[in-house]
Amino acid sequence: MEHLKIASDNYVAFTFFIGTMAMMAASVFFFFELNNTSKKWRTSVLVSGLITFIAAVHYYYMRGYNLQTGDSPTFFRYVDWILTVPLMCVEFYLITKKAGAKIGLLWKLIFASLVMLVTGYFGETIDRDNSVLWGVISGGAYFYIVYLIWYGEVAQLAQNAGAQVAKATKILGWFVLVGWAIYPLGYILGTPGGLFGAQIVSNPETASHYMDIVYNIADAINKIGFGLVIYSLSRSEEN
Ligand SMILES: *C/C=C(C)/C=C/C=C(C)/C=C/C1=C(C)CCCC1(C)C
């Protein structure tokens, strides 16, 4: 049995390790705080904990996979996203529900997120030669989500849901606009098509390392950050 350890210059393995720890710690925090969360916000905080918990389990696996094989755990990365991104859509639905959000809005958000992720997966795996095309389709679904949150139904409902919900929705909207935009950067670095054919990192192995580091950083920011915005909403005075 080989003894596997993280070399001090192995940033891919290191960010998988830190990611695992951060997701675990965040999950413990959200779950333990449920006890002193008002009933109104309990489901939202629970969902925050589920998002980081699902990520923690995937990160634990991906960390080991990467350490043992040196490869990018693309499949489980996408399994994680397919579970957690729709749950982030659920958060938008839950906080605007009191202002009248309909279940149809939730399905629109979930559907768009699935299109975004499935097409991204095709571009990264089974049809890498057309990664630009898949990336563009995925980007279209992404901008539709941004639109719904910033100008569409989510934005309108948030305006009628009180100042605190409006403020939280704005911050979550920034996470989606800026924090989620980090992912296409990882995709551009890691796929052969790069940015409309411009190969940014020519060595495929280095390219996939960059991609993993970018994705790992983005996941920590977005999953934990999202949860903390929901948590602080649950603690805001007027609610
Ligand atoms: C917790 C995980 C999250 C918030 C993952 C989000 C992933 C994305 C926003 C991915 C977006 C992509 C594009 C917009 C184009 C290229 C392909 C993707 C899938 C990387």
Coordinates of all heavy atoms in Angstrom, one line a residue, residues 89-171:
C89 N -31.5 27.1 -5.9 CA -32.7 27.6 -6.5 C -33.9 27.5 -5.5 O -34.7 28.4 -5.4 CB -33.1 26.8 -7.8 SG -31.9 26.9 -9.1
V90 N -33.9 26.4 -4.8 CA -35.0 26.3 -3.7 C -34.9 27.4 -2.7 O -35.9 27.9 -2.3 CB -34.8 24.9 -3.0 CG1 -35.7 24.8 -1.8 CG2 -35.2 23.7 -4.0
E91 N -33.7 27.8 -2.4 CA -33.5 28.9 -1.4 C -34.2 30.2 -1.9 O -34.9 30.9 -1.2 CB -32.0 29.3 -1.2 CG -31.2 28.2 -0.6 CD -31.4 28.1 1.0 OE1 -32.5 28.4 1.5 OE2 -30.4 27.7 1.6
F92 N -34.1 30.5 -3.2 CA -34.7 31.7 -3.8 C -36.3 31.5 -3.7 O -37.0 32.5 -3.4 CB -34.3 31.9 -5.3 CG -33.0 32.5 -5.4 CD1 -31.9 31.8 -5.9 CD2 -32.8 33.9 -5.1 CE1 -30.7 32.4 -6.0 CE2 -31.6 34.5 -5.3 CZ -30.5 33.7 -5.7
Y93 N -36.7 30.3 -4.0 CA -38.2 30.1 -3.9 C -38.7 30.2 -2.4 O -39.7 30.9 -2.2 CB -38.4 28.7 -4.4 CG -39.8 28.2 -4.2 CD1 -40.9 28.7 -4.9 CD2 -40.1 27.2 -3.2 CE1 -42.2 28.3 -4.6 CE2 -41.4 26.7 -2.9 CZ -42.4 27.3 -3.7 OH -43.7 26.9 -3.4
L94 N -37.9 29.6 -1.5 CA -38.4 29.7 -0.1 C -38.5 31.1 0.4 O -39.4 31.5 1.1 CB -37.4 28.9 0.8 CG -37.5 27.3 0.7 CD1 -36.5 26.7 1.5 CD2 -38.9 26.8 1.1
I95 N -37.4 31.9 0.1 CA -37.5 33.3 0.7 C -38.5 34.2 0.1 O -38.9 35.2 0.6 CB -36.1 33.9 0.8 CG1 -35.5 34.2 -0.5 CG2 -35.1 33.1 1.7 CD1 -34.2 35.0 -0.4
T96 N -38.9 33.9 -1.2 CA -39.9 34.8 -1.8 C -41.3 34.1 -1.8 O -42.2 34.7 -2.3 CB -39.5 35.0 -3.3 OG1 -39.3 33.8 -3.9 CG2 -38.3 35.9 -3.4
K97 N -41.4 33.0 -1.1 CA -42.7 32.3 -1.1 C -43.8 33.1 -0.4 O -44.9 33.1 -0.8 CB -42.5 30.9 -0.4 CG -43.5 29.9 -0.8 CD -43.1 28.6 -0.2 CE -44.3 27.9 0.4 NZ -44.0 26.7 1.2
K98 N -43.4 33.8 0.7 CA -44.3 34.6 1.4 C -44.9 35.7 0.6 O -46.0 36.2 0.9 CB -43.7 35.1 2.7 CG -43.2 33.9 3.6 CD -43.7 34.0 5.0 CE -43.6 32.6 5.7 NZ -42.3 31.9 5.4
A99 N -44.1 36.1 -0.4 CA -44.6 37.2 -1.3 C -45.4 36.6 -2.5 O -45.7 37.3 -3.4 CB -43.4 38.1 -1.7
G100 N -45.6 35.3 -2.4 CA -46.4 34.7 -3.5 C -45.7 33.9 -4.5 O -46.3 33.6 -5.6
A101 N -44.5 33.6 -4.3 CA -43.8 32.8 -5.3 C -44.5 31.5 -5.6 O -44.9 30.8 -4.7 CB -42.3 32.4 -4.9
K102 N -44.7 31.2 -6.9 CA -45.4 30.0 -7.3 C -44.4 28.8 -7.6 O -43.2 29.1 -7.9 CB -46.2 30.2 -8.6 CG -47.2 31.3 -8.4 CD -48.6 30.8 -8.5 CE -49.6 31.7 -7.9 NZ -49.4 33.2 -8.2
I103 N -44.9 27.6 -7.5 CA -44.0 26.5 -7.7 C -43.4 26.5 -9.1 O -42.3 26.0 -9.4 CB -44.8 25.1 -7.4 CG1 -43.8 24.0 -7.2 CG2 -45.8 24.8 -8.4 CD1 -43.1 23.9 -5.9
G104 N -44.2 27.1 -10.0 CA -43.7 27.2 -11.4 C -42.3 27.9 -11.5 O -41.5 27.6 -12.4
L105 N -42.2 28.9 -10.7 CA -40.9 29.7 -10.7 C -39.8 28.8 -10.2 O -38.7 28.8 -10.8 CB -41.0 30.9 -9.7 CG -39.7 31.6 -9.4 CD1 -39.2 32.3 -10.7 CD2 -39.9 32.7 -8.4
L106 N -40.0 27.9 -9.2 CA -39.0 27.0 -8.8 C -38.6 26.1 -9.9 O -37.4 25.8 -10.1 CB -39.5 26.2 -7.6 CG -38.6 25.1 -7.0 CD1 -37.3 25.7 -6.6 CD2 -39.2 24.3 -5.9
W107 N -39.6 25.6 -10.6 CA -39.3 24.6 -11.7 C -38.5 25.3 -12.9 O -37.6 24.7 -13.5 CB -40.5 24.0 -12.3 CG -41.1 23.0 -11.3 CD1 -42.3 23.0 -10.7 CD2 -40.4 21.8 -10.8 NE1 -42.5 21.9 -9.9 CE2 -41.3 21.2 -9.9 CE3 -39.2 21.2 -11.0 CZ2 -41.0 20.0 -9.2 CZ3 -38.8 20.1 -10.3 CH2 -39.7 19.5 -9.4
K108 N -38.8 26.6 -13.1 CA -38.1 27.3 -14.1 C -36.6 27.4 -13.7 O -35.7 27.2 -14.6 CB -38.6 28.8 -14.3 CG -39.7 28.9 -15.3 CD -40.0 30.4 -15.5 CE -41.5 30.5 -15.4 NZ -42.0 31.9 -15.4
L109 N -36.4 27.8 -12.5 CA -35.0 27.9 -12.0 C -34.2 26.6 -12.0 O -33.1 26.5 -12.5 CB -35.0 28.5 -10.6 CG -35.3 30.0 -10.4 CD1 -35.6 30.2 -8.9 CD2 -34.2 30.9 -10.9
I110 N -34.9 25.5 -11.6 CA -34.3 24.2 -11.6 C -34.0 23.7 -13.0 O -32.9 23.2 -13.3 CB -35.1 23.2 -10.8 CG1 -35.1 23.6 -9.3 CG2 -34.7 21.8 -11.0 CD1 -35.9 22.6 -8.4
F111 N -35.0 23.9 -13.9 CA -34.8 23.5 -15.2 C -33.6 24.2 -15.9 O -32.7 23.5 -16.5 CB -36.1 23.7 -16.1 CG -36.0 23.2 -17.5 CD1 -36.0 21.9 -17.8 CD2 -35.8 24.2 -18.5 CE1 -35.8 21.5 -19.1 CE2 -35.7 23.7 -19.8 CZ -35.7 22.4 -20.1
A112 N -33.5 25.5 -15.7 CA -32.4 26.3 -16.3 C -31.1 25.8 -15.7 O -30.1 25.6 -16.4 CB -32.6 27.7 -16.1
S113 N -31.1 25.5 -14.4 CA -29.8 25.1 -13.8 C -29.4 23.7 -14.3 O -28.2 23.4 -14.5 CB -29.9 25.1 -12.3 OG -30.7 24.1 -11.8
L114 N -30.4 22.8 -14.6 CA -30.0 21.5 -15.1 C -29.5 21.6 -16.5 O -28.5 20.9 -16.9 CB -31.3 20.6 -15.1 CG -31.7 20.1 -13.7 CD1 -32.9 19.2 -13.7 CD2 -30.6 19.4 -12.9
V115 N -30.1 22.5 -17.4 CA -29.6 22.7 -18.7 C -28.2 23.2 -18.6 O -27.3 22.7 -19.3 CB -30.5 23.7 -19.5 CG1 -29.8 24.1 -20.8 CG2 -31.9 23.1 -19.7
M116 N -27.9 24.2 -17.8 CA -26.6 24.8 -17.6 C -25.6 23.7 -17.3 O -24.5 23.7 -17.8 CB -26.7 25.8 -16.5 CG -25.4 26.4 -16.1 SD -25.6 27.7 -14.8 CE -25.5 26.7 -13.3
L117 N -25.9 22.8 -16.3 CA -25.0 21.8 -15.9 C -24.8 20.6 -16.8 O -23.7 20.2 -17.1 CB -25.4 21.3 -14.5 CG -25.4 22.4 -13.4 CD1 -25.9 21.9 -12.1 CD2 -23.9 23.0 -13.2
V118 N -25.9 20.1 -17.4 CA -25.8 19.0 -18.3 C -25.0 19.4 -19.5 O -24.1 18.6 -20.0 CB -27.2 18.4 -18.6 CG1 -27.1 17.4 -19.8 CG2 -27.8 17.8 -17.4
T119 N -25.2 20.5 -20.1 CA -24.5 21.0 -21.3 C -23.0 21.2 -20.9 O -22.1 20.9 -21.7 CB -25.1 22.2 -21.9 OG1 -25.2 23.2 -20.9 CG2 -26.4 21.9 -22.6
G120 N -22.8 21.7 -19.8 CA -21.4 21.9 -19.3 C -20.7 20.6 -19.2 O -19.5 20.4 -19.6
Y121 N -21.4 19.6 -18.7 CA -20.8 18.2 -18.5 C -20.4 17.6 -19.9 O -19.4 17.1 -20.1 CB -21.8 17.3 -17.8 CG -21.2 16.0 -17.5 CD1 -20.2 15.8 -16.6 CD2 -21.6 14.8 -18.2 CE1 -19.7 14.5 -16.3 CE2 -21.1 13.6 -18.0 CZ -20.1 13.4 -17.0 OH -19.6 12.2 -16.8
F122 N -21.4 17.8 -20.9 CA -21.1 17.3 -22.2 C -19.8 18.0 -22.7 O -18.9 17.3 -23.3 CB -22.2 17.7 -23.2 CG -23.4 16.8 -23.0 CD1 -24.6 17.1 -23.7 CD2 -23.3 15.6 -22.3 CE1 -25.7 16.3 -23.5 CE2 -24.5 14.8 -22.1 CZ -25.7 15.1 -22.8
G123 N -19.6 19.3 -22.6 CA -18.5 20.0 -23.1 C -17.2 19.6 -22.4 O -16.1 19.6 -23.0
E124 N -17.3 19.1 -21.1 CA -16.1 18.7 -20.4 C -15.7 17.3 -20.6 O -14.6 16.9 -20.4 CB -16.3 19.0 -18.9 CG -16.0 20.4 -18.4 CD -15.9 20.5 -16.9 OE1 -15.3 19.6 -16.3 OE2 -16.4 21.5 -16.4
T125 N -16.7 16.5 -21.0 CA -16.4 15.0 -21.1 C -16.6 14.4 -22.4 O -15.7 14.2 -23.2 CB -17.2 14.3 -20.0 OG1 -18.6 14.5 -20.3 CG2 -16.9 14.7 -18.6
I126 N -17.9 14.1 -22.8 CA -18.1 13.3 -23.9 C -18.0 14.0 -25.3 O -17.8 13.4 -26.3 CB -19.5 12.5 -23.9 CG1 -20.6 13.5 -23.7 CG2 -19.5 11.5 -22.8 CD1 -22.0 12.9 -23.6
D127 N -18.0 15.3 -25.3 CA -17.9 16.0 -26.5 C -16.9 17.2 -26.4 O -17.3 18.4 -26.7 CB -19.3 16.5 -27.0 CG -19.3 16.9 -28.5 OD1 -18.3 16.5 -29.2 OD2 -20.2 17.6 -28.9
R128 N -15.8 16.9 -25.9 CA -14.8 18.0 -25.6 C -14.4 18.9 -26.8 O -14.1 20.0 -26.7 CB -13.5 17.4 -25.0 CG -13.7 17.1 -23.5 CD -12.4 16.4 -23.0 NE -11.3 17.3 -22.8 CZ -11.1 18.1 -21.8 NH1 -12.0 18.1 -20.8 NH2 -10.1 18.9 -21.7
D129 N -14.5 18.2 -28.0 CA -14.1 18.9 -29.2 C -15.1 20.1 -29.5 O -14.7 21.1 -30.2 CB -14.1 18.0 -30.5 CG -13.0 17.0 -30.4 OD1 -12.0 17.3 -29.6 OD2 -13.0 16.0 -31.1
N130 N -16.3 20.0 -29.0 CA -17.2 21.1 -29.2 C -17.5 21.8 -27.9 O -18.6 22.3 -27.6 CB -18.6 20.5 -29.7 CG -18.4 20.0 -31.1 OD1 -17.9 20.7 -32.0 ND2 -18.9 18.8 -31.4
S131 N -16.4 21.9 -27.0 CA -16.6 22.5 -25.7 C -17.1 24.0 -25.8 O -17.8 24.5 -24.9 CB -15.3 22.4 -24.9 OG -14.3 23.1 -25.6
V132 N -16.7 24.7 -26.9 CA -17.2 26.1 -27.0 C -18.7 26.2 -27.2 O -19.4 26.9 -26.5 CB -16.5 26.8 -28.2 CG1 -17.0 28.2 -28.3 CG2 -15.0 26.8 -28.0
L133 N -19.2 25.3 -28.1 CA -20.6 25.3 -28.3 C -21.4 24.9 -27.0 O -22.3 25.6 -26.7 CB -20.9 24.2 -29.4 CG -22.4 24.0 -29.7 CD1 -23.0 25.2 -30.3 CD2 -22.6 22.8 -30.6
W134 N -21.0 23.9 -26.4 CA -21.7 23.5 -25.1 C -21.6 24.6 -24.1 O -22.5 24.9 -23.3 CB -21.1 22.2 -24.6 CG -21.4 21.0 -25.4 CD1 -20.5 20.2 -26.1 CD2 -22.7 20.5 -25.7 NE1 -21.2 19.2 -26.8 CE2 -22.5 19.3 -26.6 CE3 -24.0 20.8 -25.3 CZ2 -23.6 18.6 -27.0 CZ3 -25.1 20.1 -25.8 CH2 -24.9 19.0 -26.7
G135 N -20.4 25.2 -24.0 CA -20.2 26.3 -23.1 C -21.1 27.5 -23.3 O -21.7 28.1 -22.4
V136 N -21.4 27.8 -24.6 CA -22.3 28.9 -25.0 C -23.7 28.6 -24.6 O -24.4 29.4 -24.0 CB -22.1 29.2 -26.5 CG1 -23.2 30.2 -26.9 CG2 -20.8 29.8 -26.8
I137 N -24.1 27.3 -24.9 CA -25.5 26.9 -24.5 C -25.7 27.0 -23.0 O -26.6 27.6 -22.4 CB -25.8 25.5 -25.0 CG1 -25.7 25.4 -26.5 CG2 -27.3 25.1 -24.5 CD1 -25.9 24.0 -27.0
S138 N -24.7 26.4 -22.3 CA -24.7 26.5 -20.8 C -24.7 27.9 -20.3 O -25.5 28.3 -19.4 CB -23.4 25.8 -20.3 OG -23.3 25.9 -18.9
G139 N -24.0 28.8 -21.0 CA -23.9 30.2 -20.6 C -25.3 30.9 -20.8 O -25.7 31.7 -20.0
G140 N -26.0 30.4 -21.8 CA -27.4 31.0 -22.1 C -28.3 30.7 -20.9 O -29.0 31.5 -20.4
A141 N -28.2 29.4 -20.5 CA -29.1 29.0 -19.3 C -28.7 29.8 -18.1 O -29.5 30.2 -17.3 CB -29.0 27.5 -19.1
Y142 N -27.4 30.0 -17.9 CA -26.9 30.7 -16.8 C -27.4 32.2 -16.8 O -27.9 32.7 -15.8 CB -25.3 30.7 -16.8 CG -24.7 31.8 -15.9 CD1 -24.8 31.7 -14.5 CD2 -24.1 32.9 -16.5 CE1 -24.2 32.7 -13.7 CE2 -23.5 33.9 -15.7 CZ -23.6 33.8 -14.3 OH -23.0 34.7 -13.5
F143 N -27.4 32.8 -18.0 CA -27.9 34.2 -18.0 C -29.4 34.3 -17.8 O -29.9 35.3 -17.3 CB -27.5 34.9 -19.4 CG -26.1 35.4 -19.3 CD1 -25.1 34.8 -20.2 CD2 -25.7 36.3 -18.4 CE1 -23.8 35.3 -20.1 CE2 -24.4 36.8 -18.3 CZ -23.4 36.2 -19.2
Y144 N -30.1 33.2 -18.2 CA -31.5 33.2 -17.9 C -31.8 33.2 -16.4 O -32.7 33.9 -15.9 CB -32.2 32.0 -18.6 CG -33.6 31.8 -18.3 CD1 -34.5 32.8 -18.7 CD2 -34.1 30.7 -17.6 CE1 -35.9 32.7 -18.4 CE2 -35.5 30.6 -17.3 CZ -36.4 31.6 -17.7 OH -37.7 31.5 -17.5
I145 N -31.0 32.4 -15.7 CA -31.1 32.4 -14.2 C -30.8 33.8 -13.6 O -31.5 34.3 -12.8 CB -30.1 31.4 -13.6 CG1 -30.5 30.0 -14.0 CG2 -30.2 31.4 -12.0 CD1 -29.5 28.9 -13.6
V146 N -29.7 34.4 -14.1 CA -29.3 35.8 -13.7 C -30.5 36.7 -14.0 O -30.9 37.5 -13.1 CB -28.0 36.3 -14.4 CG1 -27.8 37.7 -14.2 CG2 -26.8 35.4 -14.0
Y147 N -31.1 36.6 -15.2 CA -32.2 37.5 -15.5 C -33.4 37.3 -14.5 O -33.9 38.3 -14.0 CB -32.7 37.2 -17.0 CG -34.0 37.8 -17.3 CD1 -34.2 39.1 -17.6 CD2 -35.2 37.0 -17.2 CE1 -35.4 39.7 -17.8 CE2 -36.4 37.5 -17.4 CZ -36.5 38.9 -17.7 OH -37.8 39.4 -17.9
L148 N -33.7 36.1 -14.3 CA -34.9 35.8 -13.4 C -34.6 36.5 -12.0 O -35.5 37.0 -11.4 CB -35.1 34.3 -13.2 CG -35.9 33.6 -14.3 CD1 -35.9 32.1 -14.0 CD2 -37.3 34.1 -14.5
I149 N -33.4 36.4 -11.5 CA -33.1 36.8 -10.2 C -32.9 38.4 -10.1 O -33.4 39.0 -9.2 CB -31.8 36.2 -9.7 CG1 -32.1 34.7 -9.5 CG2 -31.3 36.8 -8.3 CD1 -30.8 33.8 -9.3
W150 N -32.4 38.9 -11.2 CA -32.1 40.4 -11.2 C -33.3 41.2 -11.7 O -33.5 42.3 -11.2 CB -30.9 40.7 -12.0 CG -29.6 40.5 -11.2 CD1 -29.0 39.3 -11.0 CD2 -28.9 41.5 -10.4 NE1 -27.9 39.5 -10.1 CE2 -27.8 40.8 -9.8 CE3 -29.1 42.9 -10.2 CZ2 -26.9 41.5 -9.0 CZ3 -28.2 43.5 -9.4 CH2 -27.1 42.9 -8.8
Y151 N -34.0 40.7 -12.7 CA -35.0 41.6 -13.3 C -36.4 40.8 -13.4 O -37.4 41.5 -13.7 CB -34.6 42.0 -14.7 CG -33.3 42.7 -14.7 CD1 -32.1 42.1 -15.2 CD2 -33.2 44.0 -14.2 CE1 -30.9 42.8 -15.2 CE2 -31.9 44.7 -14.2 CZ -30.8 44.0 -14.7 OH -29.6 44.7 -14.7
G152 N -36.4 39.5 -13.3 CA -37.6 38.8 -13.6 C -38.4 38.5 -12.3 O -38.4 39.4 -11.4
E153 N -39.0 37.4 -12.3 CA -40.0 37.1 -11.2 C -39.4 37.2 -9.8 O -40.0 37.7 -8.9 CB -40.6 35.7 -11.4 CG -41.7 35.6 -12.4 CD -42.0 34.2 -12.7 OE1 -42.5 33.5 -11.8 OE2 -41.7 33.7 -13.8
V154 N -38.2 36.6 -9.6 CA -37.6 36.6 -8.3 C -37.4 38.1 -7.8 O -37.7 38.4 -6.7 CB -36.2 35.9 -8.3 CG1 -35.5 36.0 -6.9 CG2 -36.4 34.4 -8.7
A155 N -36.9 38.9 -8.7 CA -36.7 40.3 -8.3 C -38.0 41.0 -7.9 O -38.1 41.7 -6.9 CB -36.0 41.1 -9.4
Q156 N -39.0 40.8 -8.7 CA -40.3 41.4 -8.4 C -40.9 40.9 -7.1 O -41.4 41.7 -6.3 CB -41.3 41.1 -9.6 CG -41.0 42.0 -10.8 CD -41.4 41.4 -12.1 OE1 -42.2 40.5 -12.1 NE2 -40.8 41.9 -13.2
L157 N -40.8 39.6 -6.9 CA -41.4 39.1 -5.6 C -40.6 39.6 -4.4 O -41.2 39.9 -3.4 CB -41.3 37.5 -5.7 CG -42.3 36.8 -6.6 CD1 -41.9 35.4 -6.9 CD2 -43.7 36.9 -6.0
A158 N -39.3 39.7 -4.6 CA -38.4 40.1 -3.5 C -38.8 41.5 -3.0 O -38.8 41.9 -1.8 CB -37.0 40.0 -3.8
Q159 N -39.2 42.3 -4.0 CA -39.6 43.7 -3.7 C -40.8 43.8 -2.8 O -40.9 44.7 -2.0 CB -39.9 44.5 -5.0 CG -38.7 44.9 -5.8 CD -37.6 45.5 -5.0 OE1 -37.8 46.3 -4.2 NE2 -36.3 45.0 -5.2
N160 N -41.7 42.8 -2.9 CA -42.9 42.7 -2.1 C -42.8 41.9 -0.9 O -43.8 41.6 -0.2 CB -44.0 42.2 -3.0 CG -44.3 43.0 -4.2 OD1 -44.1 44.2 -4.2 ND2 -44.6 42.4 -5.3
A161 N -41.6 41.4 -0.6 CA -41.4 40.5 0.5 C -40.8 41.1 1.8 O -40.3 40.5 2.7 CB -40.6 39.2 0.1
G162 N -40.7 42.5 1.7 CA -40.1 43.2 2.9 C -38.7 43.5 2.6 O -38.0 42.9 1.8
A163 N -38.2 44.5 3.4 CA -36.9 45.1 3.2 C -35.8 44.0 3.3 O -34.8 44.0 2.6 CB -36.6 46.3 4.1
Q164 N -35.9 43.2 4.3 CA -34.9 42.2 4.6 C -34.7 41.2 3.5 O -33.6 40.8 3.1 CB -35.1 41.5 6.0 CG -35.2 42.4 7.2 CD -33.9 43.1 7.4 OE1 -32.8 42.6 7.1 NE2 -33.9 44.3 8.0
V165 N -35.8 40.7 3.1 CA -35.8 39.7 2.0 C -35.3 40.3 0.7 O -34.5 39.7 0.0 CB -37.2 39.0 1.7 CG1 -37.2 38.2 0.5 CG2 -37.6 38.2 2.9
A166 N -35.7 41.6 0.5 CA -35.2 42.3 -0.7 C -33.7 42.4 -0.7 O -33.0 42.2 -1.7 CB -35.9 43.6 -0.8
K167 N -33.2 42.8 0.5 CA -31.7 42.9 0.7 C -31.0 41.6 0.5 O -30.0 41.5 -0.2 CB -31.5 43.5 2.1 CG -30.0 44.0 2.3 CD -29.9 44.7 3.6 CE -28.5 44.3 4.2 NZ -28.5 44.3 5.7
A168 N -31.5 40.6 1.1 CA -30.8 39.2 1.0 C -30.9 38.8 -0.5 O -29.9 38.2 -1.0 CB -31.5 38.2 1.9
T169 N -32.0 39.0 -1.2 CA -32.1 38.6 -2.6 C -31.0 39.3 -3.4 O -30.4 38.7 -4.3 CB -33.5 38.8 -3.1 OG1 -34.4 38.2 -2.2 CG2 -33.7 38.2 -4.5
K170 N -30.8 40.6 -3.1 CA -29.8 41.4 -3.8 C -28.4 40.8 -3.6 O -27.7 40.6 -4.6 CB -29.9 42.8 -3.3 CG -29.2 43.8 -4.0 CD -29.8 44.7 -5.0 CE -30.0 44.3 -6.5 NZ -31.0 45.1 -7.1
I171 N -28.1 40.4 -2.4 CA -26.8 39.9 -2.1 C -26.6 38.5 -2.8 O -25.6 38.2 -3.4 CB -26.5 39.8 -0.6 CG1 -26.7 41.1 0.1 CG2 -25.1 39.2 -0.3 CD1 -26.6 41.1 1.6

